[in-house]
Amino acid sequence: MAVYIVGGKSRIGGSVRIHGAKNAALPILAAAVICGDCVIENCPDLTDVAVALDILQHLGCRVVREGGTVYTHRLEGGDHCIPDALMSAMRSSIVFLGGIIARHGKAEVTLPGGCELGKRPIDIHLAALRRMGVRIREKGSGTLVCSAPRGLQGTELALPFPSVGATENIIIAAVTARGTTRITGAAREPEIRDLIAFLNGCGAQITCGVDGTITIQGVEKLHGVTHRVIPDRIAAGTFLCAAAITGGSVEVQDVNPGHLLSTLAYLNNAGCSVTTRIDSVLLRGPERLNELGIVKTLPYPGFPTDMQAVLMAAAAGAKGTSVFVENIFDGRYRHVSELLKLGADIRVLDRVAVVTGVPELHGGQLRCTDLRGGAAVVLAALSAQGPSVIREIRHIDRGYEDFSGSLRALGADIRREEAEWNGNTDQSAASGDEKKL
Ligand code: EPU
C-alpha cells in the first residue's frame, strides 16, 4: 500500500499542465460501446479510466492506449454483462448501462461502487430507462437484469434532480432509440456538453436549449470520431488551491477558465490575485487567506461538490470563519476527521460545516477518505508545520495523474513510497529520517 510522505510548509510555485477530465472521459468511453472506431485524445491516465477501458474490452471493444490517446474499435458480438469486480470498482460503471441496452437490447449488471459519499442511489437512471421501454428486475441481491424487447423508445423525461450520471445514461441510451427524447431538469456540467460533442461528432442529433432542455433525435447508427477530452476543471481547481493555501503561485495550463468561475470567485474573495488567459489561469496566494464566506455546493454552474473538500482545506488555515453547505451529497464530510487531526477547527452539523481558521496546522498521520477528500488532506499537510504521512492514496490515483510528482515539480515537499507503511506514528518516521517502510 503506497503512502505519501509530506514535509510540510511547502510553497507552491511554477506551472502545471492539466490533464483531461476524468468525469468527461468516463461517459465518453461508455458511449464508445455504440460508436464506430474512435480516437479519444487527452484521455487521462487514471485508475478509474483503466477500469472503464477494462469494461469496454469486456463488452467486446478492442482498446489500445498510446500515451494520452485511446483508440476504440467495436468488434462484432460482445457481452451484455459487466462482472461485479468491474462494476464495484467505480460509480461510473453504471453509465455503461444505457449503451449496453442500446447495443444488445438487454444488459445484466450489479450495483456500482465508487467513493463513499453517503447514499448514492440510481433510481433516476432506472426510472428513465423504464420510461424508454426497458424492463428491469433485480435478481438475487443487487444484480439488475434489463431487457428492451421492443428496443429503446424516445420519450419526455423530467428529472427530479439534475443527476450527472443519469443525464449521461439517458443521452447514450437515446441516441439510437426510436423517436425523440427530451430531457428537462438535466445536468448542465461541462462534462455533459463534452459527451454531447463527442456523440454529435459520431453522427448523433443532440441539441441543448437555452433553458437547459436536451433534445435527442434518435439516429439509425453512429460512426466514429476523433475527439479531444476537455481539461479537468477539478484537477485545475485543486492546483489553484494548492497555491492559495501555501501562499505560493501557480499557472494552470491547458484549462478552460470559463469552467472554473465559481472556484475562482471564492479564491479571489479570499485574497488571491487571479489572472485568466484563453487557456490558462495564474493565481498568486496571499501570506494568509481571508475567510471564504458561505460556500454552497450546487449543480453547475454553481460551486462544484468535487471542490468542497479542497476549498475546506484552504478555509482551515484562513483568517476568520467560513461556512460550507453540501447540497449534492449527504455524506461528503469524511475528510473533516483528517483535517481535525492536523489541528483544524471544524464543526459539522448535518449538511453544514463551520470552519474557524487556525493560524497554523501541524503535521499528522492521515488517510485519504475518498478521492477529493484525499486531495484536500494532502494540501492541508503541505501547508502545515511539520511532517505528515498519508495512507490510502489509491483514492487519489482515481482522479489525479501522478499527483505527488506534479506537486513536487511545483516545489512541494512530497514523495510517494510504494512500500507498505508499518504504522509507526513517530514524527521522525514521517520526516523520512528513520522511517520503516
Ligand atoms: N442521485 C439520486 N438518484 C440517482 C442519481 C443520483 O438520488 O439516480 C443523487 C445522488 O445520490 C447524489 C446526487 O443525486 O446525492 C448527485 O449525483 P449525480 O448522479 O449527479 O452524481 P454522479 O453522476 O454519481 C458525478 C461525478 C462526481 C460528482 C457528481 C456531482 C462522475 C464520474 N462522477 O457523479 O464526481 O461529484 O457527478 O457533480 O462524473 C469525483 O470526481 O470525485 C466525483 C465524485
Side-chain angles (χ1 to χ4, degrees), residues 167-205:
T167 303
E168 293 164 348
N169 231 337
I170 298 164
I171 291 171
I172 297 169
V175 280
T176 54
R178 240 174 310 123
T180 303
T181 303
R182 192 164 293 110
I183 318 171
T184 52
R188 303 175 186 208
E189 271 65 6
E191 294 75 18
I192 304 268
R193 301 297 155 123
D194 203 33
L195 172 66
I196 291 172
F198 167 78
L199 284 166
N200 280 343
C202 292
Q205 300 276 334

Short mmCIF file of all heavy atoms in Angstrom, two decimals, residues 167-205:
data_model
loop_
_atom_site.label_atom_id
_atom_site.label_comp_id
_atom_site.label_asym_id
_atom_site.label_seq_id
_atom_site.Cartn_x
_atom_site.Cartn_y
_atom_site.Cartn_z
N THR A 167 -28.22 11.78 -16.44
CA THR A 167 -28.31 12.53 -17.70
C THR A 167 -27.45 11.85 -18.77
O THR A 167 -27.88 11.68 -19.92
CB THR A 167 -27.85 14.00 -17.48
OG1 THR A 167 -28.65 14.59 -16.46
CG2 THR A 167 -27.97 14.82 -18.75
N GLU A 168 -26.25 11.44 -18.39
CA GLU A 168 -25.34 10.78 -19.35
C GLU A 168 -25.92 9.45 -19.83
O GLU A 168 -25.91 9.14 -21.03
CB GLU A 168 -23.97 10.56 -18.69
CG GLU A 168 -23.26 11.87 -18.41
CD GLU A 168 -22.10 11.77 -17.42
OE1 GLU A 168 -21.95 10.73 -16.75
OE2 GLU A 168 -21.36 12.75 -17.30
N ASN A 169 -26.44 8.67 -18.88
CA ASN A 169 -27.00 7.36 -19.24
C ASN A 169 -28.16 7.51 -20.24
O ASN A 169 -28.26 6.77 -21.22
CB ASN A 169 -27.50 6.66 -17.97
CG ASN A 169 -26.97 5.25 -17.86
OD1 ASN A 169 -26.60 4.63 -18.86
ND2 ASN A 169 -26.92 4.74 -16.65
N ILE A 170 -29.01 8.50 -19.95
CA ILE A 170 -30.19 8.70 -20.82
C ILE A 170 -29.73 9.14 -22.21
O ILE A 170 -30.23 8.65 -23.23
CB ILE A 170 -31.13 9.76 -20.22
CG1 ILE A 170 -31.67 9.30 -18.87
CG2 ILE A 170 -32.28 10.06 -21.18
CD1 ILE A 170 -32.30 10.42 -18.04
N ILE A 171 -28.78 10.08 -22.26
CA ILE A 171 -28.31 10.57 -23.57
C ILE A 171 -27.77 9.40 -24.39
O ILE A 171 -28.11 9.23 -25.57
CB ILE A 171 -27.21 11.66 -23.39
CG1 ILE A 171 -27.81 12.93 -22.79
CG2 ILE A 171 -26.53 11.96 -24.73
CD1 ILE A 171 -26.78 13.98 -22.38
N ILE A 172 -26.94 8.57 -23.76
CA ILE A 172 -26.32 7.45 -24.50
C ILE A 172 -27.40 6.46 -24.96
O ILE A 172 -27.37 5.97 -26.09
CB ILE A 172 -25.24 6.75 -23.63
CG1 ILE A 172 -24.10 7.74 -23.32
CG2 ILE A 172 -24.69 5.51 -24.34
CD1 ILE A 172 -23.11 7.26 -22.26
N ALA A 173 -28.37 6.20 -24.07
CA ALA A 173 -29.45 5.27 -24.45
C ALA A 173 -30.30 5.85 -25.57
O ALA A 173 -30.79 5.11 -26.44
CB ALA A 173 -30.33 4.98 -23.23
N ALA A 174 -30.45 7.17 -25.59
CA ALA A 174 -31.42 7.79 -26.51
C ALA A 174 -30.87 8.03 -27.91
O ALA A 174 -31.66 8.19 -28.85
CB ALA A 174 -31.90 9.13 -25.92
N VAL A 175 -29.55 8.06 -28.08
CA VAL A 175 -29.03 8.50 -29.40
C VAL A 175 -29.43 7.57 -30.53
O VAL A 175 -29.59 8.02 -31.67
CB VAL A 175 -27.49 8.73 -29.42
CG1 VAL A 175 -27.11 10.06 -28.85
CG2 VAL A 175 -26.73 7.61 -28.77
N THR A 176 -29.58 6.28 -30.25
CA THR A 176 -30.02 5.37 -31.32
C THR A 176 -31.41 4.80 -31.02
O THR A 176 -31.82 3.80 -31.61
CB THR A 176 -29.01 4.21 -31.51
OG1 THR A 176 -28.81 3.57 -30.25
CG2 THR A 176 -27.67 4.72 -32.05
N ALA A 177 -32.14 5.44 -30.09
CA ALA A 177 -33.51 4.99 -29.79
C ALA A 177 -34.46 5.41 -30.91
O ALA A 177 -34.13 6.28 -31.72
CB ALA A 177 -33.96 5.59 -28.46
N ARG A 178 -35.65 4.80 -30.92
CA ARG A 178 -36.66 5.21 -31.91
C ARG A 178 -37.31 6.51 -31.45
O ARG A 178 -37.76 6.62 -30.30
CB ARG A 178 -37.73 4.12 -32.04
CG ARG A 178 -37.81 3.59 -33.47
CD ARG A 178 -38.75 2.41 -33.59
NE ARG A 178 -38.48 1.38 -32.60
CZ ARG A 178 -39.39 0.94 -31.74
NH1 ARG A 178 -40.60 1.42 -31.72
NH2 ARG A 178 -39.06 -0.01 -30.88
N GLY A 179 -37.34 7.52 -32.31
CA GLY A 179 -38.03 8.77 -31.97
C GLY A 179 -37.17 9.75 -31.18
O GLY A 179 -35.94 9.62 -31.12
N THR A 180 -37.87 10.70 -30.57
CA THR A 180 -37.18 11.83 -29.91
C THR A 180 -37.28 11.71 -28.39
O THR A 180 -38.35 11.39 -27.86
CB THR A 180 -37.84 13.16 -30.36
OG1 THR A 180 -37.77 13.22 -31.77
CG2 THR A 180 -37.14 14.37 -29.76
N THR A 181 -36.16 11.97 -27.73
CA THR A 181 -36.15 12.03 -26.25
C THR A 181 -35.89 13.48 -25.86
O THR A 181 -35.01 14.13 -26.41
CB THR A 181 -35.03 11.13 -25.69
OG1 THR A 181 -35.23 9.80 -26.17
CG2 THR A 181 -35.01 11.13 -24.17
N ARG A 182 -36.68 13.96 -24.92
CA ARG A 182 -36.47 15.33 -24.43
C ARG A 182 -36.27 15.26 -22.92
O ARG A 182 -37.11 14.69 -22.22
CB ARG A 182 -37.67 16.21 -24.80
CG ARG A 182 -37.42 17.69 -24.60
CD ARG A 182 -38.44 18.57 -25.31
NE ARG A 182 -38.35 18.47 -26.77
CZ ARG A 182 -39.25 17.90 -27.55
NH1 ARG A 182 -40.32 17.38 -27.05
NH2 ARG A 182 -39.08 17.87 -28.85
N ILE A 183 -35.12 15.79 -22.45
CA ILE A 183 -34.83 15.73 -21.00
C ILE A 183 -34.91 17.14 -20.44
O ILE A 183 -34.13 18.02 -20.82
CB ILE A 183 -33.41 15.20 -20.71
CG1 ILE A 183 -33.06 14.01 -21.62
CG2 ILE A 183 -33.26 14.81 -19.25
CD1 ILE A 183 -31.58 13.60 -21.52
N THR A 184 -35.87 17.35 -19.52
CA THR A 184 -35.88 18.62 -18.78
C THR A 184 -35.30 18.36 -17.39
O THR A 184 -35.35 17.25 -16.89
CB THR A 184 -37.30 19.21 -18.67
OG1 THR A 184 -38.17 18.20 -18.16
CG2 THR A 184 -37.81 19.67 -20.02
N GLY A 185 -34.73 19.42 -16.80
CA GLY A 185 -34.09 19.25 -15.49
C GLY A 185 -32.80 18.47 -15.60
O GLY A 185 -32.34 17.88 -14.61
N ALA A 186 -32.18 18.47 -16.79
CA ALA A 186 -30.94 17.70 -16.99
C ALA A 186 -29.76 18.42 -16.35
O ALA A 186 -29.80 19.64 -16.13
CB ALA A 186 -30.68 17.54 -18.49
N ALA A 187 -28.70 17.66 -16.07
CA ALA A 187 -27.46 18.27 -15.58
C ALA A 187 -26.82 19.07 -16.71
O ALA A 187 -26.99 18.74 -17.89
CB ALA A 187 -26.50 17.18 -15.11
N ARG A 188 -26.10 20.15 -16.34
CA ARG A 188 -25.50 21.04 -17.34
C ARG A 188 -23.98 21.11 -17.22
O ARG A 188 -23.36 22.06 -17.71
CB ARG A 188 -26.03 22.46 -17.17
CG ARG A 188 -27.52 22.58 -17.25
CD ARG A 188 -27.93 24.00 -16.94
NE ARG A 188 -29.38 24.09 -16.88
CZ ARG A 188 -30.05 25.18 -17.15
NH1 ARG A 188 -29.42 26.29 -17.51
NH2 ARG A 188 -31.36 25.21 -17.07
N GLU A 189 -23.38 20.17 -16.51
CA GLU A 189 -21.93 20.22 -16.30
C GLU A 189 -21.19 20.21 -17.64
O GLU A 189 -21.67 19.63 -18.62
CB GLU A 189 -21.50 18.97 -15.48
CG GLU A 189 -21.54 19.13 -13.97
CD GLU A 189 -22.92 19.34 -13.36
OE1 GLU A 189 -23.93 19.26 -14.09
OE2 GLU A 189 -23.00 19.58 -12.15
N PRO A 190 -20.01 20.84 -17.69
CA PRO A 190 -19.22 20.85 -18.94
C PRO A 190 -18.95 19.44 -19.46
O PRO A 190 -18.82 19.23 -20.67
CB PRO A 190 -17.91 21.53 -18.52
CG PRO A 190 -18.24 22.32 -17.31
CD PRO A 190 -19.35 21.60 -16.61
N GLU A 191 -18.87 18.47 -18.53
CA GLU A 191 -18.58 17.09 -18.95
C GLU A 191 -19.76 16.52 -19.75
O GLU A 191 -19.57 15.67 -20.63
CB GLU A 191 -18.29 16.21 -17.72
CG GLU A 191 -17.00 16.59 -16.98
CD GLU A 191 -17.08 17.85 -16.13
OE1 GLU A 191 -18.22 18.29 -15.82
OE2 GLU A 191 -16.03 18.43 -15.78
N ILE A 192 -20.99 16.98 -19.45
CA ILE A 192 -22.17 16.55 -20.22
C ILE A 192 -22.06 17.13 -21.63
O ILE A 192 -22.32 16.45 -22.62
CB ILE A 192 -23.47 17.07 -19.56
CG1 ILE A 192 -23.56 16.61 -18.11
CG2 ILE A 192 -24.69 16.73 -20.40
CD1 ILE A 192 -24.27 15.36 -17.83
N ARG A 193 -21.67 18.41 -21.69
CA ARG A 193 -21.53 19.07 -23.02
C ARG A 193 -20.45 18.35 -23.83
O ARG A 193 -20.55 18.25 -25.06
CB ARG A 193 -21.16 20.55 -22.85
CG ARG A 193 -22.20 21.34 -22.05
CD ARG A 193 -23.52 21.34 -22.79
NE ARG A 193 -24.63 21.54 -21.86
CZ ARG A 193 -25.52 22.50 -21.94
NH1 ARG A 193 -25.48 23.37 -22.91
NH2 ARG A 193 -26.52 22.58 -21.07
N ASP A 194 -19.41 17.87 -23.16
CA ASP A 194 -18.35 17.17 -23.88
C ASP A 194 -18.85 15.83 -24.42
O ASP A 194 -18.53 15.45 -25.56
CB ASP A 194 -17.14 16.97 -22.95
CG ASP A 194 -15.84 16.79 -23.74
OD1 ASP A 194 -15.71 17.40 -24.83
OD2 ASP A 194 -14.95 16.05 -23.28
N LEU A 195 -19.64 15.14 -23.62
CA LEU A 195 -20.23 13.87 -24.10
C LEU A 195 -21.10 14.14 -25.33
O LEU A 195 -21.04 13.40 -26.32
CB LEU A 195 -21.07 13.23 -22.98
CG LEU A 195 -21.90 12.02 -23.39
CD1 LEU A 195 -21.01 10.84 -23.77
CD2 LEU A 195 -22.87 11.61 -22.25
N ILE A 196 -21.88 15.22 -25.26
CA ILE A 196 -22.76 15.55 -26.39
C ILE A 196 -21.92 15.89 -27.63
O ILE A 196 -22.23 15.44 -28.74
CB ILE A 196 -23.71 16.72 -26.00
CG1 ILE A 196 -24.71 16.24 -24.96
CG2 ILE A 196 -24.40 17.29 -27.23
CD1 ILE A 196 -25.57 17.33 -24.36
N ALA A 197 -20.84 16.65 -27.45
CA ALA A 197 -19.97 17.00 -28.58
C ALA A 197 -19.38 15.73 -29.20
O ALA A 197 -19.32 15.58 -30.43
CB ALA A 197 -18.85 17.93 -28.12
N PHE A 198 -18.96 14.80 -28.34
CA PHE A 198 -18.41 13.53 -28.83
C PHE A 198 -19.46 12.77 -29.65
O PHE A 198 -19.21 12.34 -30.78
CB PHE A 198 -17.94 12.68 -27.63
CG PHE A 198 -17.63 11.25 -27.96
CD1 PHE A 198 -16.44 10.90 -28.58
CD2 PHE A 198 -18.54 10.24 -27.66
CE1 PHE A 198 -16.16 9.57 -28.89
CE2 PHE A 198 -18.27 8.92 -27.97
CZ PHE A 198 -17.08 8.57 -28.58
N LEU A 199 -20.67 12.63 -29.08
CA LEU A 199 -21.71 11.85 -29.77
C LEU A 199 -22.16 12.54 -31.06
O LEU A 199 -22.37 11.88 -32.08
CB LEU A 199 -22.89 11.61 -28.83
CG LEU A 199 -22.64 10.54 -27.76
CD1 LEU A 199 -23.71 10.60 -26.67
CD2 LEU A 199 -22.59 9.15 -28.38
N ASN A 200 -22.30 13.87 -31.03
CA ASN A 200 -22.67 14.57 -32.27
C ASN A 200 -21.59 14.38 -33.33
O ASN A 200 -21.89 14.26 -34.51
CB ASN A 200 -22.93 16.06 -32.00
CG ASN A 200 -24.32 16.30 -31.41
OD1 ASN A 200 -25.20 15.43 -31.49
ND2 ASN A 200 -24.52 17.45 -30.80
N GLY A 201 -20.33 14.32 -32.88
CA GLY A 201 -19.23 14.04 -33.82
C GLY A 201 -19.36 12.66 -34.45
O GLY A 201 -18.86 12.41 -35.54
N CYS A 202 -20.03 11.76 -33.74
CA CYS A 202 -20.25 10.39 -34.25
C CYS A 202 -21.54 10.31 -35.07
O CYS A 202 -21.96 9.20 -35.45
CB CYS A 202 -20.35 9.41 -33.09
SG CYS A 202 -18.81 9.18 -32.20
N GLY A 203 -22.24 11.43 -35.27
CA GLY A 203 -23.45 11.41 -36.09
C GLY A 203 -24.74 11.49 -35.30
O GLY A 203 -25.83 11.38 -35.88
N ALA A 204 -24.66 11.66 -33.97
CA ALA A 204 -25.89 11.79 -33.17
C ALA A 204 -26.53 13.15 -33.44
O ALA A 204 -25.88 14.07 -33.97
CB ALA A 204 -25.55 11.67 -31.69
N GLN A 205 -27.81 13.27 -33.09
CA GLN A 205 -28.56 14.52 -33.31
C GLN A 205 -29.02 15.01 -31.94
O GLN A 205 -30.14 14.71 -31.51
CB GLN A 205 -29.79 14.25 -34.18
CG GLN A 205 -29.49 13.69 -35.55
CD GLN A 205 -29.14 14.82 -36.52
OE1 GLN A 205 -29.58 15.95 -36.31
NE2 GLN A 205 -28.36 14.52 -37.53
#
